[in-house]
Amino acid sequence: MKKLFALSVLVALVGCAEKKPLTAEEQWQGYCRSVGNAARSIMLDRQNGIEKEKAIEHANKVDDEMTKGFIIEIIDQIYALPAQEINEDVQAVREKVRQDFTEKCIATPHDEMPDYKPF
């Protein structure tokens, strides 16, 4: 019984241990996952009939210039796609856009982390 209690205490202590800080690479990958998620949401908006002008108006409210640049580029590319292409398999199209923009972001050179809110 004492061993079980000691094991429980040990597990609880390990669970409460401080998390190690993320490396710069891990932080960038987290940012890029947010960019990919934003791309998926922008595609969803397009599929639901949101006009490009409204998407750009919303993107212009983003304070961080790097993030705004990514978002404007995503909007331009998504709204350039033919409607038929984005409505054939809506889930697959959203997932492909999310993955493509996440990978593109990860491959983008950067010197510092942007100031952003995870998406």
Side-chain angles (χ1 to χ4, degrees):
M1 188 68 146
K2 286 183 180 182
K3 288 181 183 180
L4 182 59
F5 177 73
L7 182 60
S8 298
V9 170
L10 181 62
V11 169
L13 288 175
V14 169
C16 294
E18 227 176 275
K19 292 183 180 179
K20 72 173 182 87
L22 297 176
T23 65
E25 181 179 334
E26 290 168 332
Q27 290 176 3
W28 183 252
Q29 288 178 358
Y31 172 74
C32 290
R33 279 191 300 276
S34 288
V35 168
N37 290 338
R40 181 182 57 211
S41 293
I42 292 166
M43 177 59 78
L44 175 63
D45 287 349
R46 166 97 196 276
Q47 290 169 330
N48 286 321
I50 303 296
E51 295 178 11
K52 182 178 181 180
E53 293 75 27
K54 288 286 185 188
I56 290 173
E57 181 182 316
H58 188 70
N60 283 328
K61 295 177 184 176
V62 175
D63 292 330
D64 181 74
E65 290 302 315
M66 179 183 287
T67 303
K68 186 185 294 185
F70 274 122
I71 298 302
I72 296 294
E73 179 182 351
I74 291 166
I75 290 169
D76 287 342
Q77 289 186 26
I78 285 176
Y79 281 84
L81 296 171
Q84 180 182 352
E85 182 178 325
I86 67 167
N87 290 313
E88 287 178 355
D89 185 349
V90 293
Q91 295 288 349
V93 169
R94 280 184 227 142
E95 181 55 28
K96 180 175 183 343
V97 163
R98 185 198 61 76
Q99 185 175 1
D100 289 350
F101 280 100
T102 299
E103 291 172 4
K104 184 175 186 172
C105 175
I106 289 172
T108 301
H110 59 284
D111 293 328
E112 59 185 59
M113 277 298 296
D115 180 26
Y116 80 103
K117 294 178 186 171
F119 194 87

